[in-house]
Amino acid sequence: MTTLKERLTADLKDAMKAKDELTLSVVRMLKSAVKYKEVEPGASELDDAGIQQVIATLIKQRRDSVEQFKAGGRPELAEKEEQEISVLQRYLPQQLTPAELTAAVQAAIAEVGAKGPKDMGAVMKNVNPKVQGKAEGKAISEEVKAQLARLS
């Protein structure tokens, strides 16, 4: 089983050989972001989970850019950002389906004994470690909010 870092290096070489400009630029950007995170004061070498957090951050930035480009009437730039998102998602674990996310949130609500929206923090603390990297934070919080709203 190779580490995510080794996979990135191999994919970078493959993209160079295949002259795949999109993958090449995205993998270079990702490796740069990982290196930048590792040289921050107090940081150490990132493991796979740390790299996945960097990827999730980059995807979130791209999603924000897509919205702004669409609002600004720049569909070609939005399309480029969406292509970058699809390349980045290759390095994340299989994402949860909406049904799996709903089930995970329901289990967390039962474990915590949540009664309504005021218990959102406790539910998020419980569910986040279980679905880390398998679902976006925004999707998790929206699902938790929706289910807690139904309880009250």
Side-chain angles (χ1 to χ4, degrees), residues 9 18 21 25-26 30 35 37 43 45 54 57 60 67-68 70 77 107 110 113 118 138 150 152:
T9 302
E21 292 299 322
S25 69
V26 171
L30 176 54
K35 193 67 164 167
K37 194 77 169 166
E45 189 168 334
V54 171
T57 301
K60 184 177 186 304
E67 288 176 23
Q68 291 175 356
K70 285 182 178 175
L77 293 175
K118 67 180 181 358
K138 186 177 179 182
R150 285 188 220 123
S152 57

Side-chain angles (χ1 to χ4, degrees), residues 64-126:
D64 291 343
S65 296
V66 166
E67 288 176 23
Q68 291 175 356
F69 286 140
K70 285 182 178 175
R74 299 294 305 266
E76 70 285 355
L77 293 175
E79 176 66 28
K80 182 181 181 291
E81 296 288 324
E82 287 172 344
Q83 290 172 348
E84 289 180 1
I85 290 170
S86 68
V87 172
L88 287 168
Q89 285 177 330
R90 295 181 203 163
Y91 300 102
L92 290 177
Q94 181 66 38
Q95 298 293 292
L96 294 176
T97 64
E100 291 170 331
L101 180 58
T102 300
V105 170
Q106 287 172 344
I109 288 172
E111 282 179 38
V112 173
K115 304 269 187 277
K118 67 180 181 358
D119 297 321
M120 180 154 179
V123 174
M124 289 297 288
K125 276 184 193 168
N126 184 294

